Amino acid sequence: MPELPEVDHCGRALSRWTAGRRIVAVELHDGRSVRASRTARPSDGREDGESALREVVLAAAPGPMERHGKRLLWRFGDRALLLHLGMTGRWTRLPSPHAKVTLRLDDGAVLTFADPRLLGGIVPTTLADGAAMLHDGLGPDALRDPLPPLHGKRAVKVVLMDQAVVAGLGNLHAAEALWRAGIAPDRTAESVTGERHTRLGIAVREQLDFARRLLDAEEEVTYVEDAGAPNPFPVYQRQGEACPRCGGTIERFVQAGRGTWWCRGCQK
Ligand SMILES: [Zn+2]
């Protein structure tokens, strides 16, 4: 599932694939993927999605890409596309049975937005509205900005995944960052202060950097959930295996409806 590193990879791949090129044709295969606002609801797909997309991407050359948390803003002159990947979205140069949108470049290359579960989307907009939507409702960026103070009785992992508190972490990277920091995922957020908070801030950044470096080696993004994909992470989906740090056993429990993996031997 795409989190900050995967979204970051997507933005950099789109920039690289379109450098020096123009988009010359747009095909919308499923109108539900083009939305009027940053809603994740496929039922809010725009009637005029294809012409709205054309108005943005054919009018100017692809410009700079900005990211905040798991959202991207792709600039085309004074217009822009807000991109979000949802749970299963990806931009690819490979053919996909789940293609929702294809963009054709002036060198014949084809870029596809594939999204089997339709929770990602594309919002054609003006640059100003897009810049507002890029940040709207989100906390500081998990990679660029310092980890904000964490408050309240909710579990620290649940709070780390709350995009309004800190933008960019999902289930995998939150679990891994807590393991790196040696902090138990069910500890209350408000108890993560002082040196422990500093450690968590460093661990979040190290985890995201680690994941970005792994992805850097790949032209096309891979999600851990993809069939046959490697799992390079020490605790995620490794219940019953040995903790690489202390030799304890990795356990799984369900927290706010999501699986959490951790080691009670070295996460306190
Ligand atoms: Zn351990």
Side-chain angles (χ1 to χ4, degrees):
M1 204 175 293
E3 301 182 28
L4 188 154
E6 294 77 19
V7 172
D8 187 76
H9 181 275
C10 170
R12 285 182 292 134
L14 285 174
S15 293
R16 194 167 61 243
W17 294 339
T18 57
R21 307 254 65 105
R22 293 288 295 237
I23 294 168
V24 293
V26 175
E27 285 163 58
L28 179 58
H29 311 292
D30 190 329
R32 293 173 294 178
S33 289
V34 178
R35 316 261 164 77
S37 71
R38 61 173 181 81
T39 166
R41 286 189 299 277
S43 57
D44 293 336
R46 276 177 76 152
E47 293 280 322
D48 63 341
E50 189 162 294
S51 60
L53 264 182
R54 282 207 177 94
E55 275 171 27
V56 174
V57 304
L58 302 186
M65 184 79 70
E66 251 190 282
R67 183 193 56 74
H68 189 92
K70 303 184 215 173
R71 293 181 199 155
L72 292 168
L73 187 71
W74 194 6
R75 182 172 174 173
F76 293 80
D78 59 359
R79 299 179 195 205
L81 298 181
L82 185 82
L83 309 177
H84 60 103
L85 301 177
M87 289 174 68
T88 56
R90 75 182 71 208
W91 283 88
T92 176
R93 295 200 294 189
L94 305 174
S96 167
H98 304 291
K100 305 301 178 195
V101 174
T102 51
L103 306 178
R104 203 167 295 274
L105 306 185
D106 56 4
D107 63 352
V110 173
L111 311 182
T112 297
F113 178 58
D115 190 11
R117 292 188 59 181
L118 278 165
L119 292 171
I122 304 168
V123 184
T125 182
T126 64
L127 185 57
D129 287 352
M133 278 189 270
L134 179 65
H135 299 281
D136 186 31
L138 297 182
D141 185 77
L143 183 65
R144 274 192 310 268
D145 304 322
L147 184 69
L150 305 178
H151 302 292
K153 307 276 183 216
R154 285 190 298 166
V156 60
K157 170 152 178 282
V158 174
V159 170
L160 282 182
M161 291 169 57
D162 182 344
Q163 303 302 301
V165 175
V166 52
L169 293 169
N171 202 35
L172 190 165
H173 297 303
E176 292 292 333
L178 287 163
W179 179 82
R180 277 176 187 266
I183 294 174
D186 58 352
R187 166 183 278 286
T188 61
E190 67 186 7
S191 73
V192 179
T193 56
E195 185 271 333
R196 193 178 272 132
H197 181 273
T198 305
R199 217 161 66 217
L200 182 57
I202 293 168
V204 164
R205 213 159 300 196
E206 284 180 352
Q207 173 61 27
L208 296 175
D209 258 340
F210 169 69
R212 283 173 91 214
R213 282 198 306 275
L214 289 176
L215 290 167
D216 266 347
E218 310 294 332
E219 190 65 18
E220 295 281 343
V221 76
T222 305
Y223 301 153
V224 176
E225 298 81 10
D226 291 348
N231 177 3
F233 302 108
V235 291
Y236 183 71
Q237 292 185 337
R238 293 196 184 277
Q239 63 271 25
E241 296 183 31
C243 169
R245 183 166 53 207
C246 77
T249 304
I250 306 296
E251 297 175 46
R252 175 186 190 273
F253 71 104
V254 175
Q255 203 176 17
R258 307 289 301 276
T260 290
W261 291 264
W262 74 301
C263 170
R264 72 174 70 232
C266 62
Q267 289 180 255
K268 301 297 177 189

